[in-house]
Amino acid sequence: YVIKVIAQTIQLLYTMLKIDQPSYILLQNPPGLPSIAVAWIACLFWRSKLIIDWHNYGYTIMSMNLGRNHLLVQIAKWYEKLFGRLSDYNLCVTNAMKEDLWVNCNIKAVTMYDKPASYFKETPLELQHRLYMKLAKDYEAFKPRYVFFLEAERSAFTEVDEKNGHVIKTRGRPALLISSTSWTASVYLSILNSFLSSPDYEQYINEGIKLPSLVCVITGKGPLKDYYNGLINKLHFKHIQICTPWLEAEDYPLLLGSADLGVCLHKSSSGLDLPMKVVDMFGCSLPVCAVYFECLHELVKHDENGLIFRDSNELAEQLKMLFLGFPTLEGKLHNFRKNLRASKQLRWDESWDQTVLPLFGQNE
């Protein structure tokens, strides 16, 4: 740690002192060690203003591996508080973090919620079909369950109507559920493991409840992906297929905009930040089931744009409720999507103009 911090300090300071004189230096934290101190020194040199964009606390992320009482974690906590107070302006991603910064660090911040980029939106049916056909080349879950005509252009979810050439949704199609993870040891994976091992959803269908088959797409890559793929391959579900693709950057928003439900199992290390993946899902008007943590209510409004659960059993119950009678244009899942469409949430650039741009004006 010490050698790494010293090397990065020298490299970053050298780079920042070579640039043209800036009026402002905008720094996202974390990572903040050593960048907060280096940016502050550069601001002294350039007589610039330092703006820190607080997305989380770096020391809480460090504590996930080392423990909260570890000496390095305590040093990192002291460092963040000390140099955080030396900034000129501060942004943060939740009101909970804004309050925490003020109460515990004496830092006054402005809340700027993360917002989706403009390319996160609902995907037209023709684009959905092209994406499904592309993914079907590599992933079994996207291939049609039954092929009656060799010439039919069909995926698990869509097909081309032979009469008029239009893309239509396949009758009796499965529901498409999407989630994302970095495949690291976390609460996420313990919940995922419990859900994958649970026969609840399968039992509901076997008991005669009118539920669709599920295609669960879990995107991302990370150190434990192969391990969990091994567990997934040992499962023998009849009505659930699990797919773990690594998507091209342009395909990820298209798949979000095509899905029926998003599932977020992110838990904040500090309890004060919000999952960006849910922000992107909401940009696509995609309802979400998300695991509970302290400030999640600032983003996911339970029973309005999604549902909040605490364990895998509650998640299975929510899936049963949301997908009952699927694909119906009634019920909670449809209402959540209608609410998201009607919310007309700000996009990132609009939010920046309203929240952050006035800060620069204060210094003119």
Side-chain angles (χ1 to χ4, degrees):
Y1 273 123
V2 173
I3 294 172
K4 181 179 179 181
V5 167
I6 292 173
Q8 288 183 338
T9 299
I10 295 171
Q11 183 181 24
L12 186 58
L13 186 60
Y14 174 77
T15 302
M16 293 192 72
L17 295 182
K18 283 180 64 181
I19 63 175
D20 293 336
Q21 180 179 3
S23 299
Y24 301 87
I25 293 178
L26 176 58
L27 170 72
Q28 178 178 307
N29 180 60
L33 186 65
S35 54
I36 301 179
V38 172
W40 176 70
I41 293 170
C43 283
L44 288 180
F45 179 82
W46 289 120
R47 296 183 181 178
S48 306
K49 298 289 185 180
L50 176 60
I51 304 175
I52 299 180
D53 183 15
W54 298 84
H55 281 243
N56 202 344
Y57 296 135
Y59 74 87
T60 64
I61 296 174
M62 189 183 291
S63 71
M64 293 176 70
N65 290 325
L66 300 177
R68 286 191 175 268
N69 296 322
H70 194 282
L71 178 62
L72 286 177
V73 174
Q74 294 303 311
I75 292 173
K77 182 178 181 180
W78 168 84
Y79 161 87
E80 258 180 308
K81 286 186 175 183
L82 172 66
F83 282 95
R85 294 191 194 103
L86 300 176
S87 59
D88 296 285
Y89 303 108
N90 292 273
L91 310 173
C92 60
V93 291
T94 64
N95 285 328
M97 179 169 281
K98 175 183 178 179
E99 182 178 354
D100 189 82
L101 282 167
W102 176 247
V103 172
N104 295 315
C105 307
N106 198 30
I107 294 172
K108 188 176 181 180
V110 174
T111 302
M112 180 187 169
Y113 288 111
D114 281 322
K115 297 294 180 182
S118 57
Y119 49 79
F120 284 99
K121 56 189 176 184
E122 291 186 72
T123 305
L125 194 56
E126 290 77 11
L127 272 180
Q128 289 185 33
H129 181 65
R130 270 186 260 164
L131 177 65
Y132 296 147
M133 296 300 293
K134 175 182 176 181
L135 294 173
K137 295 176 183 178
D138 298 311
Y139 302 105
E140 192 70 27
F142 290 90
K143 294 179 180 179
R145 303 297 177 268
Y146 311 101
V147 179
F148 300 104
F149 304 102
L150 292 176
E151 66 272 14
E153 187 179 320
R154 185 193 298 260
S155 72
F157 307 94
T158 54
E159 60 185 274
V160 174
D161 189 327
E162 293 182 334
K163 295 179 181 178
N164 54 30
H166 295 163
V167 175
I168 57 175
K169 292 189 176 181
T170 303
R171 180 177 297 180
R173 69 183 178 91
L176 178 56
L177 184 153
I178 188 166
S179 188
S180 180
T181 176
S182 56
W183 300 102
T184 53
S186 65
V187 175
Y188 177 109
L189 293 182
S190 67
I191 297 174
L192 175 63
N193 191 41
S194 298
F195 177 70
L196 294 178
S197 304
S198 170
D200 288 355
Y201 192 85
E202 290 265 313
Q203 285 182 356
Y204 295 147
I205 298 178
N206 293 334
E207 290 167 2
I209 298 174
K210 189 182 178 184
L211 293 169
S213 296
L214 284 184
V215 171
C216 302
V217 177
I218 308 172
T219 66
K221 62 179 181 179
L224 293 180
K225 183 174 182 177
D226 290 340
Y227 170 75
Y228 275 89
N229 272 333
L231 293 182
I232 289 168
N233 292 334
K234 293 177 183 177
L235 299 173
H236 299 288
F237 290 136
K238 183 179 179 182
H239 303 288
I240 300 175
Q241 285 184 287
I242 300 166
C243 179
T244 59
W246 173 248
L247 297 172
E248 295 176 15
E250 62 270 20
D251 288 340
Y252 178 65
L254 293 178
L255 191 59
L256 284 189
S258 306
D260 298 298
L261 180 68
V263 173
C264 176
L265 299 166
H266 166 89
K267 276 207 168 187
S268 167
S269 63
S270 65
L272 299 171
D273 70 313
L274 295 171
M276 191 64 207
K277 53 178 71 72
V278 173
V279 174
D280 295 336
M281 290 173 181
F282 283 171
C284 297
S285 299
L286 178 63
V288 169
C289 291
V291 69
Y292 170 84
F293 63 90
E294 288 80 354
C295 68
L296 184 63
H297 66 275
E298 293 191 39
L299 178 61
V300 180
K301 312 297 182 185
H302 186 73
D303 234 14
E304 182 179 323
N305 55 19
L307 296 172
I308 297 172
F309 63 91
R310 294 175 183 267
D311 56 41
S312 58
N313 292 330
E314 193 172 2
L315 173 59
E317 284 290 335
Q318 290 179 357
L319 295 182
K320 171 187 171 184
M321 176 184 62
L322 292 174
F323 287 132
L324 190 64
F326 178 90
T328 179
L329 293 181
E330 300 174 356
K332 285 186 179 292
L333 189 63
H334 180 66
N335 289 337
F336 292 164
R337 195 180 286 273
K338 279 204 312 184
N339 291 340
L340 286 165
R341 288 168 177 162
S343 65
K344 295 181 180 179
Q345 58 178 315
L346 292 177
R347 293 296 169 160
W348 190 91
D349 52 345
E350 296 169 323
S351 181
W352 172 276
D353 288 346
Q354 286 190 17
T355 307
V356 183
L357 207 56
L359 294 178
F360 296 96
Q362 293 175 17
N363 196 43
E364 297 300 328

